[in-house]
Amino acid sequence: PSDGEFLDFFGSSVAVRGDKAFVSAAGDDDRGTSAGAVYVFERAGGAWAEVAKLTAADGGDYVHFGDFVILDGDTAFIGAPGSLPDPGAVYLFQMAGGTWTQAGKLTASDGAAFDRFGASGALSGDTLLVGAPRVDLAIEDEGAVYVFDRRCAADFDRDGDADTRDVLAFLQAWAAADPSADCNGDGVLDSRDVLCFLNLWVAGCP
């Protein structure tokens, strides 16, 4: 990494797809002590070069952003299992206009402190599995795996089409301060969420 430091743990996880490589440094301190970061490398002319450094918009101490990375075309899923009292999360980044930007954040519906949701993950088609090894079920730290089905983010009203009704539905949710309108997953509803959604809507659905 261009700015590597002691105990950054560069290489905590690696994902490669074509001429792109994501390499995490789960101990990076840019967003807080061991908040974590992921470096993006691209290959051109046989040489790899660092082109970006990604961090969680709402990162904090010991989030460990980058414990796992999954690359799927122009989409990246990045695990951040956190530590007490954080239950953990998975961040969604997408390539838009030549830049990787945070486009969402996944959390467990019943997440509890130190579940370590986001410690591992696997993607097959539109199904994402996320590990949470310290979930308490019948016994302490029994662990669990959460299943997410990916849908087109531009289809905000989930009617199967990305159309003007989705824009209206999003704007209504945003005006009502509905957390579902936090498009970039940074925990704050502001104009950046509107821009995030409009970019997704312009891109449309497959």
Side-chain angles (χ1 to χ4, degrees):
S2 57
D3 60 351
E5 296 182 353
F6 181 60
L7 295 180
D8 273 2
F9 301 116
F10 179 78
S12 301
S13 62
V14 178
V16 179
R17 189 177 181 92
D19 291 325
K20 296 182 179 67
F22 277 42
V23 183
S24 74
D28 183 89
D29 299 327
D30 279 9
R31 292 278 185 175
T33 303
S34 293
V38 172
Y39 294 83
V40 181
F41 293 82
E42 291 186 358
R43 179 171 51 189
W48 289 92
E50 181 185 320
V51 297
K53 181 180 181 180
L54 311 180
T55 58
D58 58 349
D61 292 345
Y62 305 107
V63 169
H64 301 300
F65 176 85
D67 255 28
F68 82 81
V69 180
I70 296 172
L71 270 179
D72 183 36
D74 288 335
T75 301
F77 299 91
I78 301 175
S83 60
L84 195 68
D86 184 7
V90 174
Y91 292 84
L92 170 65
F93 280 75
Q94 291 184 325
M95 171 68 78
T99 302
W100 288 94
T101 57
Q102 185 174 318
K105 178 181 178 180
L106 304 178
T107 57
S109 58
D110 59 351
F114 209 42
D115 278 354
R116 291 190 57 79
F117 173 89
S120 60
L123 179 70
S124 178
D126 288 329
T127 302
L128 175 70
L129 303 182
V130 179
R134 300 202 65 173
V135 168
D136 297 335
L137 296 173
I139 58 176
E140 184 177 356
D141 292 342
E142 185 174 356
V145 173
Y146 292 80
V147 182
F148 293 82
D149 287 322
R150 181 167 50 177
R151 67 178 180 88
C152 176
D155 182 18
F156 192 79
D157 62 6
R158 302 195 184 194
D159 67 353
D161 294 308
D163 52 28
T164 54
R165 289 173 296 187
D166 295 295
V167 177
L168 293 175
F170 172 82
L171 291 176
Q172 288 173 351
W174 184 81
D178 188 323
S180 66
D182 182 16
C183 180
N184 63 5
D186 66 356
V188 179
L189 287 177
D190 54 24
S191 59
R192 289 173 294 187
D193 295 300
V194 177
L195 292 174
C196 171
F197 178 77
L198 290 177
N199 284 332
L200 294 174
W201 186 79
V202 169
C205 295

